[in-house]
Amino acid sequence: MAKPVFIPKFGFTLEESEIVQWLVEEGTTVQAGDPVAEVTTDKVNMEVEAPADGILAGICAQVGDMVAVTATIAWIVAPGEELPPEATNLPSVEQSEASSAAQAQPVAPPPLSTGNNGSKAVQSSPVASRMAQAHDVDLNQVTGSGRGGRIERRDVEALLAGQDGLGKVRATPAARRLAREAAIDLVSLTGSGPLGRVQAVDVEQAQAAMEQPPATSQQPATTMSDINTTRIPFTNMRRTIARRLQQSMQEAPHIFFEASASVAELQALCDTANQHRMDDDPKVNLTAGITRAVAWTLRRHPLLNSHIGDNESILFEDIHIGMAVALENGLVVPVLRHVDRKGLREISIEIRSLAEKARSGKLSQADMSGGTFSISNLGMYGVDRFTAIINPPEVGILAVGAIKKSLVLDENDEPVVQPMMTITLSVDHRVIDGAVAAQFLADLKKAIEHPSMMLVF
């Protein structure tokens, strides 16, 4: 029985994924668990696996297409098995040429597919038929390179590559259609999709630019074309960041709370741990101490360790803290799990490991999902204080500033120099009231200034 290959829901908020590449061609024999396609999720690339043994057939999503999660993008069928009716009645799939057993047996010729003008029956693969239909290609004009003259996808692509105008560039079907309607040459456009593929939005932007009214001023008008500019198309990661943060600021009424905390005792604790470490042990860093203090405080204020749902708060027993990591082309938030159950050295190791994976592009979706609260630390950049945008559906995020030596009063009102740090809490006012947030920040300040509390209480 045919098994659908569909886009998994890799994360809570993921709604669609972009097809980056097909890792195997249609008609290839695969085994259950084999990767068949690579897709872009919110901020990382993931592989879609075959759900069963069989032959990959009925591919219905091309590179660059945005596909809704749980949507079927192909099928796995047995040799000689027909695609199900819901696969838009595509032709039957013949046995895989990759199978030695299939090669030893005579194979029935593939079903016939008619050209666009219906004048003549031709043999073509399902992908070739769909591609020809999407690009208004008459299959009667295509020379098949497959067995028995069967038209394959490469044959349609070769024809398109040899055409003038629209066939010279990589573009989605929607982009080609819009370009034809607006009489826009795709060659003149810079594609924002994978590998420079022209998307519909690129054509729409070009059309909007063409429709701009001419300047009527007597003085020569200064236009964008008169200024030296560099255009950087949004990557899928940047589009995701823009969409989610805009959504967060529009939907979540942010309120902010700020406090200054001395890190003298916490730094002393980290120094002591490093002085007594084994030769092979990594150093304990201050970020680990702050993260552990946040987990300790979340355990005492569970409402901040939650997600906002549909007219409800979803409180979590486990504490999983997301650590914002800045990359050259965006921002990712890998997640440390069960932080309240771990020591400073273990937290330090995990923070370093996740940061290295983030910067080398090796984060998995599991590394980035399931966070219940987030921390954004810009202290290493010399930023004194800032406010952070909540990472939905979480209800809180902590912004950590730089450590600066400041003159403060001790418990005897004597002036002393202390390493001070500004921490700013952002919360979703739909879930968190001001008094709750203020108490959370006060307890967090105590945990940072007196880390021994985390061992006693």
Side-chain angles (χ1 to χ4, degrees):
M1 182 176 181
K3 299 288 186 181
V5 180
F6 60 88
I7 300 292
K9 190 173 180 62
F10 292 107
F12 288 121
T13 60
L14 184 66
E15 297 179 353
E16 60 182 8
S17 294
E18 181 176 354
I19 305 295
V20 176
Q21 63 175 324
W22 282 97
L23 303 177
V24 297
E25 293 186 355
E26 184 161 339
T28 302
T29 297
V30 297
Q31 295 182 335
D34 285 351
V36 297
E38 182 181 356
V39 301
T40 297
T41 62
D42 281 349
K43 298 178 183 177
V44 295
N45 287 7
M46 300 292 294
E47 292 179 343
V48 178
E49 298 178 348
D53 297 349
I55 301 171
L56 181 67
I59 293 178
C60 51
Q62 303 302 317
V63 172
D65 289 350
M66 298 299 297
V67 183
V69 296
T70 72
T72 298
I73 57 175
W75 297 81
I76 302 296
V77 299
E81 181 182 11
E82 292 187 356
L83 290 168
E86 55 266 35
T88 64
N89 294 320
L90 292 176
S92 302
V93 177
E94 58 185 5
Q95 296 184 2
S96 170
E97 296 180 2
S99 169
S100 58
Q103 289 178 356
Q105 300 293 332
V107 179
L112 298 180
S113 173
T114 59
N116 288 349
N117 58 14
S119 61
K120 175 182 173 183
V122 296
Q123 296 180 353
S124 63
S125 70
V127 174
S129 298
R130 289 196 301 276
M131 183 176 292
Q133 182 178 7
H135 299 295
D136 294 331
V137 172
D138 184 355
L139 288 176
N140 291 291
Q141 305 301 318
V142 182
T143 300
S145 63
R147 186 171 43 191
R150 184 174 189 252
I151 297 173
E152 306 290 347
R153 176 175 59 183
R154 60 179 175 268
D155 303 321
V156 180
E157 290 175 340
L159 179 67
L160 290 173
Q163 292 176 349
D164 292 331
L166 301 181
K168 289 184 178 180
V169 296
R170 296 171 58 86
T172 64
R176 294 183 187 278
R177 185 185 68 253
L178 290 174
R180 284 194 298 270
E181 295 173 353
I184 295 175
D185 187 355
L186 288 180
V187 177
S188 65
L189 304 183
T190 299
S192 61
L195 302 177
R197 186 182 180 94
V198 177
Q199 311 277 16
V201 65
D202 303 321
V203 181
E204 292 170 350
Q205 291 174 352
Q207 184 177 10
M210 293 172 58
E211 295 173 353
Q212 288 289 339
T216 58
S217 172
Q218 297 297 324
Q219 298 296 327
T222 299
T223 65
M224 293 301 296
S225 60
D226 300 323
I227 305 173
N228 292 328
T229 60
T230 300
R231 297 186 180 220
I232 305 177
F234 276 10
T235 61
N236 191 50
M237 175 187 289
R238 178 53 59 187
R239 287 196 298 269
T240 299
I241 293 172
R243 182 180 69 251
R244 296 190 64 188
L245 294 187
Q246 182 183 27
Q247 175 189 0
S248 178
M249 286 301 292
Q250 288 177 338
E251 296 182 0
H254 286 55
I255 50 175
F256 308 100
F257 301 82
E258 182 180 297
S260 295
S262 169
V263 295
E265 289 192 24
L266 187 58
Q267 185 64 69
L269 178 63
C270 294
D271 292 342
T272 300
N274 291 328
Q275 291 171 5
H276 294 86
R277 68 188 178 96
M278 303 295 289
D279 292 339
D280 295 335
D281 289 341
K283 287 187 176 181
V284 172
N285 55 46
L286 193 61
T287 301
I290 298 171
T291 305
R292 184 64 180 82
V294 170
W296 181 88
T297 311
L298 285 171
R299 178 61 65 198
R300 283 145 185 81
H301 298 273
L303 194 57
L304 277 87
N305 192 55
S306 67
H307 285 178
I308 185 169
D310 186 10
N311 294 319
E312 63 179 354
S313 297
I314 306 170
L315 278 64
F316 295 95
E317 177 63 26
D318 297 324
I319 296 176
H320 305 322
I321 297 180
M323 304 293 296
V325 177
L327 304 179
E328 183 177 351
N329 60 340
L331 178 76
V332 292
V333 188
V335 177
L336 283 75
R337 304 189 183 281
H338 305 290
V339 183
D340 59 322
R341 306 179 191 175
K342 297 175 179 177
L344 296 184
R345 196 174 305 282
E346 186 177 2
I347 295 173
S348 294
I349 293 173
E350 291 192 13
I351 290 175
R352 187 176 295 107
S353 174
L354 287 173
E356 290 175 354
K357 290 175 68 175
R359 295 188 177 103
S360 61
K362 296 181 179 179
L363 285 173
S364 67
Q365 188 67 28
D367 291 327
M368 297 177 57
S369 61
T372 59
F373 188 88
S374 294
I375 298 175
S376 180
N377 188 346
L378 294 180
M380 69 286 294
Y381 297 103
V383 176
D384 292 338
R385 56 173 58 83
F386 67 102
T387 57
I389 300 176
I390 299 168
N391 186 24
E394 297 170 14
V395 299
I397 184 171
L398 185 75
V400 180
I403 297 173
K404 297 287 184 70
K405 289 185 178 181
S406 303
L407 191 65
V408 297
L409 298 178
D410 63 12
E411 60 274 11
N412 298 319
D413 290 336
E414 295 292 334
V416 294
V417 175
Q418 291 275 3
M420 302 296 293
M421 174 183 67
T422 299
I423 49 178
T424 306
L425 176 67
S426 306
V427 295
D428 187 337
H429 209 351
R430 294 175 297 178
V431 177
I432 309 299
D433 291 331
V436 175
Q439 189 59 56
F440 173 91
L441 197 60
D443 287 346
L444 176 59
K445 174 182 168 71
K446 292 177 183 177
I448 293 173
E449 294 186 333
H450 307 287
S452 58
M453 290 177 57
M454 293 186 282
L455 302 177
V456 178
F457 299 102

